[in-house]
Amino acid sequence: MTELDAVKAALKTQAVETPSWAYGNSGTRFKVFAQQGVPRDPREKLADAAKVHEFTGVAPSVALHIPWDTVDDYAALAKYAEELGLRLGTINSNTFQDDAYKLGSVCHPDAAVRRKALDHLFACVDVMDATGSKDLKVWLADGTNYPGQDDIRERQDRLAEALSAVYDRLGDDQRLLLEYKLFEPAFYSTDVPDWGTAYAHCLKLGDKAQVVVDTGHHAPGTNIEFIVATLLREGKLGAFDFNSRFYADDDLMAGAADPFQLFRIMYEVVRGGGLTPDIAFMLDQCHNIEAKIPAIIRSVMNVQEATAKALLVDREALTRAQRSGDVLDANAVLMDAYNTDVRPLLAEVREESGLDPDPMAAYRRSGWAERIVAERVGGEQAGWGA
């Protein structure tokens, strides 16, 4: 097998999970902008996700968000996904949209509120059992706004206790994925603010606990690829939430704000042996002013392009330059790969897989956008909180 064949083979096995909530209405804290043809229930979200997979070939799973994707029969929903050529992926918990969680959820000073949050996390594991999902993602909005509002150390104790209880509830083939976020909605202290805090908790929990890296959840200038490299080295990188941000958690399309950063991240993934099913590559985006499905297709393509460029890095030449201390040559090797136009290569990969070489054009020709606008009339559109 030639090097190019190996690159193609790797690209053909790549999988990018799409989030159910990205197909619904979303916006900013000021306004949610409704669009025509938006799904009204989880099944319609899956139907849209199936179109993304149909035209990209690398989006076979859909993440659910509970209670946004609550249904009476999760096994039936999983079967419906299978009929569409999909599977249900990560189950995302929600302990931030109930009035009871104003001062936190599992870190709340009131034991009754902590119990409520823990019961929700257990219910999410029940959903995993019913759908066959392997991953529970936990992102917490817990934190404080003012010095002295609560005891920072005690909140970490409460967090550890809750995570331990959820960890013990998991099946042998299930994982807890712990996500961190620099700030928002808490502004003074956030209970899981960085990768170090998430790593410390996951390390104590055990092998079934892994860290999620959301590419939008960092301060400007943070070297995210260093975090990725370190977590891979420690065997604690469980998943990505891909998006872009200019300031904070903007949830823009992956690779839109800084495609070079996405390339650098994907290089560390490739370098660290992380291009495997053990690491979930998921989009976590909310498309506010752009059409939903095309934005998700474009995001998947952006991840593919960054991955292709990362796979094209001449590792031998890079190693020689690094070991000889040739700074400029080492940087040039990376830049040569980044500056390569990989679109013809990806078009070739798609054609070899029986796909249209241009997923965006294929979607436009499909008539799906016009069909859903005509058919999805009446009812309540899905969006934040639904």
Side-chain angles (χ1 to χ4, degrees):
M1 180 183 289
T2 67
E3 288 187 18
L4 186 58
D5 288 336
V7 169
K8 286 183 176 181
L11 290 169
K12 289 175 183 176
T13 61
Q14 186 176 28
V16 180
E17 187 165 288
T18 68
S20 68
W21 53 96
Y23 297 98
N25 285 324
S26 58
T28 68
R29 67 188 65 196
F30 305 109
K31 171 69 175 174
V32 172
F33 300 99
Q35 297 184 17
Q36 291 183 305
V38 164
R40 296 163 296 179
D41 56 49
R43 285 181 172 243
E44 290 184 346
K45 293 178 184 178
L46 291 176
D48 286 353
K51 289 299 172 182
V52 174
H53 185 46
E54 177 183 340
F55 296 117
T56 65
V58 294
S61 63
V62 181
L64 299 185
H65 208 298
I66 307 300
W68 298 349
D69 293 314
T70 297
V71 294
D72 293 331
D73 189 335
Y74 288 102
L77 186 66
K79 188 175 186 303
Y80 179 68
E82 186 178 349
E83 292 169 357
L84 294 173
L86 301 172
R87 60 180 172 81
L88 299 182
T90 308
I91 303 301
N92 291 256
S93 59
N94 183 322
T95 56
F96 51 85
Q97 284 192 312
D98 191 289
D99 285 345
Y101 301 139
K102 182 170 70 173
L103 300 179
S105 60
V106 297
C107 300
H108 197 287
D110 187 333
V113 176
R114 297 200 299 273
R115 182 71 243 180
K116 174 185 175 71
L118 188 58
D119 286 343
H120 169 72
L121 295 174
F122 287 160
C124 286
V125 180
D126 292 339
V127 174
M128 294 168 65
D129 293 339
T131 61
S133 173
K134 305 300 182 187
D135 293 336
L136 169 68
K137 186 183 297 176
V138 177
W139 174 73
L140 302 167
D142 291 36
T144 65
N145 280 358
Y146 294 97
Q149 178 182 320
D150 200 358
D151 188 287
I152 291 176
R153 179 165 177 157
E154 284 188 9
R155 291 181 74 90
Q156 287 297 307
D157 291 341
R158 299 166 197 157
L159 172 61
E161 182 179 359
L163 292 177
S164 179
V166 175
Y167 187 89
D168 290 343
R169 168 67 182 81
L170 296 173
D172 292 339
D173 60 345
Q174 294 174 334
R175 302 189 301 176
L176 187 157
L177 303 178
L178 183 60
E179 187 174 351
Y180 59 91
K181 188 175 184 180
L182 178 66
F183 74 99
E184 192 190 40
F187 293 109
Y188 173 64
S189 68
T190 302
D191 291 315
V192 190
D194 51 40
W195 72 274
T197 305
Y199 172 74
H201 281 285
C202 288
L203 190 64
K204 190 171 184 180
L205 288 169
D207 293 340
K208 293 187 294 183
Q210 304 270 295
V211 179
V212 178
V213 174
D214 184 307
T215 53
H217 288 187
H218 303 84
T222 298
N223 190 316
I224 300 174
E225 55 268 35
F226 173 83
I227 299 170
V228 170
T230 301
L231 289 173
L232 273 169
R233 183 173 178 270
E234 298 298 323
K236 279 295 180 183
L237 179 63
F240 280 100
D241 278 3
F242 286 122
N243 53 56
S244 287
R245 62 111 176 96
F246 283 102
Y247 299 104
D249 186 18
D250 293 345
D251 281 343
L252 301 175
M253 288 165 40
D258 188 352
F260 185 46
Q261 181 189 66
L262 183 56
F263 159 75
R264 298 193 312 266
I265 291 169
M266 290 310 303
Y267 171 70
E268 292 303 333
V269 170
V270 171
R271 165 68 180 86
L275 205 60
T276 73
D278 293 331
I279 297 177
F281 296 91
M282 197 194 85
L283 303 178
D284 183 12
Q285 304 170 179
C286 293
H287 304 291
N288 303 335
I289 59 175
E290 64 270 35
K292 312 294 181 182
I293 301 174
I296 298 171
I297 291 174
R298 171 57 63 190
S299 298
V300 171
M301 293 171 67
N302 288 349
V303 174
Q304 285 182 295
E305 289 178 16
T307 305
K309 293 180 179 186
L311 288 164
L312 289 174
V313 171
D314 188 336
R315 292 276 296 279
E316 291 185 5
L318 182 60
T319 299
R320 284 197 303 271
Q322 290 171 339
R323 290 180 179 172
S324 66
D326 195 326
V327 177
L328 292 179
D329 270 5
N331 178 249
V333 171
L334 277 183
M335 294 310 298
D336 284 345
Y338 176 68
N339 289 322
T340 301
D341 185 356
V342 296
R343 290 173 298 178
L345 170 63
L346 285 165
E348 209 173 294
V349 167
R350 293 182 188 113
E351 287 183 316
E352 290 176 3
S353 301
L355 302 170
D356 190 290
D358 187 343
M360 292 289 283
Y363 173 71
R364 292 191 189 100
R365 290 194 306 269
S366 72
W368 185 255
E370 295 78 13
R371 176 179 167 181
I372 58 179
V373 168
E375 292 182 354
R376 294 174 185 173
V377 178
E380 185 175 348
Q381 290 186 323
W384 286 348

